[in-house]
Amino acid sequence: RIPRQVKTLLTKETKPHIQELSVQTTIISRYAFTAVSCSMLNRHSAATRGVFQFHIPTAAYISNFTMIVGGRVFPSQVKAKEKKMKKEVGENNGKRNKNTPEQSEGEMEVFRMEVTIPGRNRAVFLLTYEELLQRRLGRYEHVTSVRPMQLVSRLSMGVTIVEHSRITYLEVLPLRNGKTPSSNGNGKADVGPPVSTVVKQNETFCKISFTPNIAQQAKIATNGMLGEFVVRYDVEREIGIGDIQVLDGHFVHYFAPKDLPVVSKNVVFVIDTSASMVGTKIRQTKEALFTILRELRPNDHFNYVTFSNRIRVWQPGKLVPVTPNNIRDAKKFIYMISPTGGTDINGGIQTGSALLSDYLSSKEESHHNSVSLIIFLTDGRPTVGVVQSPVIIGNTKAAVQEKFCLFTIGMGDDVDYRLLERMSLDNCGTMRRIPEDAAASVMLKGFYDEIGTPLLSDIRVEYSEDAVEYITQNLFTNYFNGSELVVAGKLTNRSSDSLHVQVTASNSERSIVLEKDVSIHEREQETERRLAEVEAGPNTNDYVERLWGYLSVKDGLKGRLRSQTSAERENYTQHATNLSLTYNFLTPLTQMIVEKPQVLADGTLAQTQKEAEATEAPPPAETSNQLSEDNNSLTPQSLKPAKKSVTLSKTSADGDPHFVVEVPLSKLTMCFNINGEPGHILRLVTDHKHSGVTVNGALIGAPAPAGSHKVQRTYFSTITIVANKPRRSYIEVTPQKVILDGRDRMILPSSSSISVETANLAVVIIANTNLTVTIQGTIQFVILFHHYKNPAPYQRDHLGFYIANSKGLSKYTHGLLGQFLYEDIGLTQLPGNFSMAAENSTQETLGKNITSYPALKVKDRTVTVIKKSRQIYSGKQTIDCWFAKNNAAKLIDGQYSDYVVSHLFDTGDWANGTNTH
């Protein structure tokens, strides 16, 4: 062992510096292409070891890996694995290949590559991988690992989503470590996207970027282990046959019907209660079972089997209906479970299967349209009874007899996951892993939620035989609410333009058949148009074919695992291997060979064999061996976080609240105060009928400062902006947060710099400073955040409201500020003798009698005013304005009470008619 202090010294002194890490993902119709670029600099004169490590979703396949070291390119090559290979080639990459094709949500594998970087040189690692996002609980989830293991000068994550259908739901989660959110960069766990996240979106396209600077990274984690950047979304569903996309001789068919009646289910829970389950595991299992119990539906039937050395059945010989008494008794049974003894997996499965099988046989008619399943949970390997995996697999298949489905769950590290995988695959189910340190009760409940609401059973998707060949899995035992069935295929070269699609299935009431003739040419044109519109980037133009290849490999691996004979297994193996090689996928059947740079004793790179033969690969963009730290990397420019810029405007309501209006037509500025009541909501801008925009502000109170002529102070505590066109959306702003509610609801903290863009609305937050809202590109409001660290009794955190651009507001706009936007206001002098002493202490005429005084002409009204100075933008700008006294009497239309509205989202018209000019 290296002494700890020496190890630390070595790490600090010789660890290469990651100058840039860029992870850019493009998701086209659920198929995700991810490109990782990592640039590492060895600052020292001596050669040093550089480790590139990246977490990749288990469901993904690596499609390319290239290194550029000292200006030379070292590509990789995917080859078929040699038979009975005990150990992978030394040059092989470090991705842990599993032979099981099923993956659990959120699981990651580590890709690791170690190279020697010559002194004062750079290494660039380029990695690409692909995956089809699975729909679970009504949404797709894309996870990017952000764990560079050190703070990075230029760190950028980007996710671009391109869909055929409208994106109905989009959410960027807080950074996640394991299954829990981590800090968002403000020192505590938070809601909303991580700091520096920018979202730009229209109906079918979305671009998200995450570009934290070093200071923002350090607030999240000083060791560079920021966590997982998680994006969730869903799309609008076509009623009927589903969404079919065609490109370059291949098609993909997404089928996820909604609004179907729920099919009743018969479920047996088979639970491991061996001694190893004691403590946290059994406690979390019980929590999940109690929660699931509450969610069983009235028409469901259920039972429990527990197994250790001995097998216990809660209600022997039957499944019971969901009644209050049965639920009560089931709770008692769960509560009394006590772990002890060994693990008889075979006995548990046999008992549960016999229970369900006998029940179905005795009630055959009445259960024709129900779905039956076993949910099996264990944390270990078989230790009692039958312990040989092949025998357990055979026994399970014989007991199930294709009458129901078996879903298996493994908890922790000591599970034979290959056995559970095979048991579920053979019996139309799936397997789920629960890591040792995970929140097991949440994951168990989540898994049950995925399979707890069956909508269809025995689904068969068929296409006209003369039009397609090589289709992926097209028979599905069940369709569960919130999921999606995906079939891909290769089109034949025949001339027919029509693809006949037929879906047959059963639901709770009857058998259903859906049929449609689809024009191949039209679908292909639509797919090509969508790709051209968004310029989705390289490698994405053949996404349908690559998706077909990806699914075909997955199907081949499942078939290989299920195969009964060596000939059948070999057939699946060959088919999946050939496809893996065709698409350059690193799968359990292939290996990646990477030639590594050899560094000589003097620290320079050795010549490769190819170079010696004068067949050197073309040089990369950067060919110099001596690379400076600020050299630009190979990654493209990414979206930037919000910048500190804001359009200055005088028309505003800020402070206590002081109103300022810049009158464009008259080239003058006027001001007034509104002494409102705490709790009142004031109409600031209303143009509901025309541009669809309304702005309201809620007042809070505070005691007046000592010696003030006022009884109390009032401030704006909440401001709402309602935009009703083209579709209703609103923004609710407080000093602490911004709630954006349109197609999706987002809660954004005012303490983070974030930018969100949709087709008609753009929101930019500068942390703890201001918010800029742009509506339809022609209306812009700025809201200032006023925070006090140590507020005096008369101070409250509050907001200031500024109109930066009013071009898109109509001439009928009204409200305390809105009514003046198109008003022609004149300044005049009125004759008269009076003393100005009490009214304006700043005038040179103090105490003197004068023959005229200033006034404003508003419509048919004349309002006396005095000259004042006002500070706006938190005191950063001082302006001169004509001040109207007495709560703006006669300056504003009507009186104060006319501007008090009933609630923050009130969009009613101006009570006294429209504001015509």
Side-chain angles (χ1 to χ4, degrees), residues 164 243-252 491-492 496-497 499 518-532 541-545:
H164 277 233
D243 179 17
I244 296 172
Q245 297 167 28
V246 178
L247 195 65
D248 293 335
H250 293 78
F251 75 91
V252 59
L491 296 164
T492 58
S496 172
D497 179 51
L499 178 65
V518 173
S519 166
I520 294 170
H521 181 63
E522 278 179 20
R523 294 290 168 129
E524 183 152 30
Q525 279 188 322
E526 169 63 21
T527 306
E528 287 172 346
R529 184 181 66 78
R530 182 73 66 205
L531 283 176
N541 290 333
D542 57 352
Y543 81 93
V544 178
E545 181 181 345

Side-chain angles (χ1 to χ4, degrees), residues 843-858:
Q843 301 239 344
E844 290 178 8
T845 54
L846 181 62
K848 296 179 182 177
N849 288 332
I850 55 172
T851 55
S852 66
Y853 52 93
L856 295 174
K857 292 282 288 181
V858 185

Side-chain angles (χ1 to χ4, degrees), residues 116-290:
T116 303
I117 306 173
R120 309 259 179 229
N121 264 273
R122 175 185 288 166
V124 177
F125 302 91
L126 304 169
L127 173 73
T128 62
Y129 59 87
E130 301 171 22
E131 65 175 317
L132 177 66
L133 303 184
Q134 283 186 298
R135 187 167 183 256
R136 288 191 169 112
L137 301 175
R139 64 196 176 209
Y140 306 99
E141 180 172 290
H142 182 268
V143 180
T144 307
S145 175
V146 193
R147 297 183 175 95
M149 297 189 295
Q150 58 176 271
L151 299 177
V152 179
S153 307
R154 294 188 294 273
L155 177 63
S156 63
M157 307 283 132
V159 179
T160 301
I161 301 171
V162 182
E163 284 290 345
H164 277 233
S165 307
R166 186 169 70 86
I167 297 170
T168 55
Y169 162 80
L170 178 72
E171 183 182 13
V172 181
L173 273 62
L175 288 171
R176 188 171 72 185
N177 271 309
K179 289 289 168 187
T180 57
S182 63
S183 163
N184 259 347
N186 54 10
K188 58 183 179 182
D190 210 343
V191 294
V195 62
S196 83
T197 301
V198 179
V199 181
K200 296 185 176 181
Q201 182 186 1
N202 64 25
E203 285 216 331
T204 59
F205 174 82
C206 173
K207 195 160 193 171
I208 302 160
S209 71
F210 171 54
T211 53
N213 58 35
I214 281 192
Q216 290 167 332
Q217 292 171 47
K219 279 187 178 179
I220 300 166
T222 54
N223 62 358
M225 304 293 276
L226 275 63
E228 292 171 349
F229 186 74
V230 183
V231 176
R232 288 178 180 163
Y233 77 97
D234 197 27
V235 297
E236 199 165 54
R237 306 278 145 200
E238 284 186 24
I239 295 171
I241 208 79
D243 179 17
I244 296 172
Q245 297 167 28
V246 178
L247 195 65
D248 293 335
H250 293 78
F251 75 91
V252 59
H253 180 189
Y254 300 101
F255 183 64
K258 57 180 183 176
D259 302 328
L260 293 168
V262 176
V263 179
S264 61
K265 60 184 178 292
N266 312 304
V267 57
V268 176
F269 297 90
V270 181
I271 308 298
D272 185 344
T273 57
S274 61
S276 57
M277 286 286 288
V278 77
T280 305
K281 285 179 185 173
I282 199 68
R283 179 178 56 78
Q284 293 195 323
T285 301
K286 286 182 178 184
E287 281 174 19
L289 290 174
F290 284 134

